[in-house]
Amino acid sequence: MKLIDEFRVFAVKGNAFDLAVGVIIGAAFGAIVTSLVNDVIMPPIGYLTGGIDFTDIFINLSGGDYPSLAAAKEAGAATINVGVFLNRVISFLIVAWVLFLLVRQMNRLKRKEEAAPTIPAAPPPPAPELLVLQEIRDLLASERGQPKP
């Protein structure tokens, strides 16, 4: 029973929940980036390179001749999918760039918060030892006939 209780405490902690939300949002963000790469970025690059579709760039290891990667996969041919890899590298670079920009902006906002002027707090009361020492000083000064500082 103790193991279940420990798991319950772990599962409902804020950090575990935040991590779960981050993974879900990351998966959704990954789908958006995949669409951005495949549907927006790669077609112009393919156009500039003479109509080459990067997803159909592959190395056929089985010796047959296939017009596309889909045809090679359908035939069960062993392939090295260079174009798919390039798409994923570009997706990674886009995600990394966006995350860099987000972290950079968050750091700027934190610096602005830290640099914001704050109202100075009232000084803390003197320590009890200091009060006792001040009383002793005042007593000694009064015995000598000197005015209190």
Side-chain angles (χ1 to χ4, degrees):
M1 191 65 175
K2 185 176 181 176
L3 182 64
I4 293 172
D5 289 336
E6 286 181 38
F7 177 74
R8 182 183 54 80
V9 168
F10 167 76
V12 298
K13 276 187 177 178
N15 293 342
F17 184 74
D18 291 344
L19 179 62
V21 169
V23 167
I24 292 168
I25 289 175
F29 187 68
I32 291 170
V33 169
T34 299
S35 176
L36 176 68
V37 169
N38 292 337
D39 302 330
V40 176
I41 294 175
M42 294 311 281
I45 292 175
Y47 177 75
L48 292 174
T49 58
I52 297 173
D53 182 10
F54 282 116
T55 56
D56 282 334
I57 298 174
F58 65 97
I59 298 171
N60 185 4
L61 300 176
S62 64
D65 188 26
Y66 303 101
S68 68
L69 179 61
K73 283 186 175 184
E74 188 176 309
T79 59
I80 297 175
N81 306 324
V82 177
V84 174
F85 178 73
L86 287 175
N87 280 345
R88 294 204 173 138
V89 167
I90 292 170
S91 294
F92 169 77
L93 292 174
I94 291 170
V95 169
W97 179 253
V98 169
L99 288 177
F100 166 74
L101 293 176
L102 286 173
V103 169
R104 185 174 175 228
Q105 187 61 33
M106 290 301 292
N107 287 340
R108 282 184 180 173
L109 291 174
K110 283 183 183 179
R111 278 187 291 234
K112 285 182 181 177
E113 286 177 6
E114 291 172 359
T118 57
I119 299 172
E129 297 86 9
L130 183 59
L131 292 174
V132 171
L133 288 172
Q134 287 174 346
E135 286 179 25
I136 293 171
R137 178 196 65 195
D138 294 344
L139 286 172
L140 288 173
S142 66
E143 284 179 7
R144 294 184 190 157
Q146 299 173 351
K148 291 183 182 178

